[in-house]
């Protein structure tokens, strides 16, 4: 073998033509450029099968750490019918998925590893055809099919923005909190929900977004939709990015307006220094989001080239405007969207410390088709509380949390309400919340304190160990200090 190697080497150096050297195979491209992304990944005929999941539990609870979802049977049915049409183009049984509407006013749809796809209601209002909506759902479902969330799935939960609402949660049990301080604490809590909603969006790379654009287009064309819908959707990105940036800037300013520099109250003192931290993290998050998203113009040109290459002869059917308007522009849908608008108006009035306006808007949301949204119920509980109707607010809070579809922040509120009078119930809610909502670190001090209160020393040691580990890993001195205080 050694002699053969030497002979080959000498032949190559001497330039002898009679020796044939075997050619090493070149690294094959990840995808054959002559094939569409769909053909390269999903060969075979369409199976005509759909797999719309009844519920995507993990991401649903994660979404409830922010604004939750806004259920509406007609709209939900329509969105998931579109998803089913897209799934039927795939060979074999497709990955399970489900589309939800969220009460977010951001223009940022998202999908997660378990197949959950979350579309803000403001996005639905902004579109004009079923083809655009199909392009949006196809893009997000493409992320699921391509398993783009493998590296950042639950990381998105841990990357939620630092919330001044933590301070609100830690202080609302104080007996010396004034009505004005309570009002501002509730306003801070609502602001933190909006910030957390931004933090939930998974950070995907530009390459992943481009892949999802291509596969999403494959899916919608195969399902009989017009690729013009994808062009129109991408054309809205620039406007949406500008609106999102303005909204995020408004959130930042709202924190500052709630606490003037001359404010010497207990709560203002606790907030001091944390607003800067919030602003810093918000800036980083916006920068990260912008880094992963090309402009609409860039993505449109890339998509046009892809369509020219693979779908030059494809039919371009008329946009399905009538089908879209029948559902999304219906009177029932308008009332639903209006109810969500009123819920946000209540939250905004709370930030402006206008108690009566907050309650009036929350009552309108309660009477609307959006009444079943956990966010609408949340703002009503807050509005009742600051208007002196604490008994009614508490009754609604208990009902909401018991049904296990409350916002995460409402679970935290009830834990603090019950911690002294009914520590066993408070512990049950704290443990359930910790298990369901992705083991959030800010619940650890509660679990330590409540187990200590009930003389469960082994569990105190267990949760303190978890807390110390998380605090050290994240260099979170505030968390470690809170756990030390809870342990005593």
């Amino acid at each position: 073998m050694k002699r053969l190697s030497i002979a080959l080497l000498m032949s190559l150096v001497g330039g002898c033509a009679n020796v044939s050297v075997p050619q090493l195979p070149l690294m094959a491209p990840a995808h054959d450029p002559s094939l569409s992304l769909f053909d390269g990944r999903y060969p075979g005929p369409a199976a005509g099968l759909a797999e719309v999941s009844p519920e995507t539990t993990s991401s649903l609870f994660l979404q409830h750490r922010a604004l939750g979802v806004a259920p509406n049977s007609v709209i939900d049915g329509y969105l998931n019918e579109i998803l089913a049409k897209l799934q039927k183009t795939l060979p074999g049984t497709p990955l399970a998925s489900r589309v939800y509407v969220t009460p977010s006013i951001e223009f940022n749809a998202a999908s997660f590893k378990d197949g959950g796809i979350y579309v803000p209601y403001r996005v639905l209002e902004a579109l004009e055809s079923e083809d655009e909506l199909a392009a949006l759902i196809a893009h997000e479902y493409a992320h699921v099919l391509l398993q783009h969330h493998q590296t950042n799935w639950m990381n998105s939960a841990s990357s939620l923005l630092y919330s001044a609402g933590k301070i609100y949660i830690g202080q609302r049990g104080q007996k010396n909190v004034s009505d004005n301080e309570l009002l501002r604490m509730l306003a801070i809590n609502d602001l933190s929900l909006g910030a957390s909603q931004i933090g939930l969006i998974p950070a995907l790379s530009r390459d992943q977004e481009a892949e999802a654009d291509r596969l999403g287009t494959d899916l919608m064309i195969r399902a009989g939709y017009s690729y013009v819908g994808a062009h129109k959707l991408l054309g809205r990105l620039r406007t949406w990015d500008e609106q999102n940036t303005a909204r995020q800037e408004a959130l930042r300013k709202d924190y500052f307006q709630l606490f003037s520099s001359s404010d010497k109250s207990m709560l203002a003192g606790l907030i001091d220094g944390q607003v800067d931290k919030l602003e810093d993290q918000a800036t980083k998050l916006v920068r990260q989001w912008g880094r992963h998203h090309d402009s609409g113009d860039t993505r449109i040109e890339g998509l046009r080239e892809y369509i020219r290459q693979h779908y030059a002869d494809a039919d371009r059917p008329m946009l399905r405007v009538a089908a879209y308007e029948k559902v999304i522009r219906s009177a029932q849908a308008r009332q639903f969207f209006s109810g969500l608008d009123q819920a946000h108006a209540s939250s905004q009035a709370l930030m402006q410390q206008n108690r009566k306006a907050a309650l009036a808007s929350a009552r309108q949301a309660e009477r609307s088709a959006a009444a079943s949204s956990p966010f609408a119920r949340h703002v009503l509980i807050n509005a009742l509380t600051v208007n002196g109707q604490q008994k009614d607010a508490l009754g609604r809070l208990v009902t909401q949390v018991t049904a296990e579809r409350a916002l995460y922040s409402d679970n935290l509120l009830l834990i603090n309400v019950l911690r002294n009078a009914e520590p066993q119930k408070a512990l049950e809610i704290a443990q359930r919340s910790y298990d369901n909502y992705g083991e959030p670190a800010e619940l650890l001090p509660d679990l330590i304190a409540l187990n200590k209160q009930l003389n469960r020393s082994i569990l105190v040691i267990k949760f303190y160990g978890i807390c110390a580990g998380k605090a050290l890993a994240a260099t979170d001195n505030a968390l470690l200090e809170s756990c030390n205080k809870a342990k005593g």
Side-chain angles (χ1 to χ4, degrees), residues 452-467:
K452 180 183 178 183
Q453 194 173 342
L454 294 167
N455 299 314
R456 298 177 178 178
S457 56
I458 294 178
L459 290 174
V460 170
I461 295 171
K462 170 190 171 181
F463 285 112
Y464 182 78
I466 294 172
C467 181

Side-chain angles (χ1 to χ4, degrees), residues 164-165 168 177-191 254-269 271 350-353 355 382 386:
Y168 146 67
V177 173
S178 69
D179 286 345
N180 285 336
E181 286 170 336
L182 175 62
L183 175 62
R184 284 188 291 181
M185 284 192 289
L186 291 170
I188 288 171
N189 182 238
D190 275 6
L191 277 168
D254 283 339
Y255 273 100
F256 285 100
Q257 290 171 354
L258 280 171
F259 299 95
S260 65
S261 58
S262 61
D263 194 334
K264 303 299 181 184
S265 70
M266 172 197 71
L267 191 60
I271 291 292
L350 200 67
M351 295 173 200
Q352 296 169 352
Q353 303 184 51
R355 291 176 169 83
N382 281 356
V386 299

Side-chain angles (χ1 to χ4, degrees), residues 106-108 236-250 289:
E106 300 287 331
F107 290 93
N108 289 329
R236 300 181 190 277
L237 286 184
R238 180 180 294 171
T239 300
W240 286 358
D241 285 345
E242 291 172 355
Q243 290 173 330
N244 285 338
T245 300
R247 170 62 184 161
Q248 290 152 11
E249 177 64 17
W289 174 258

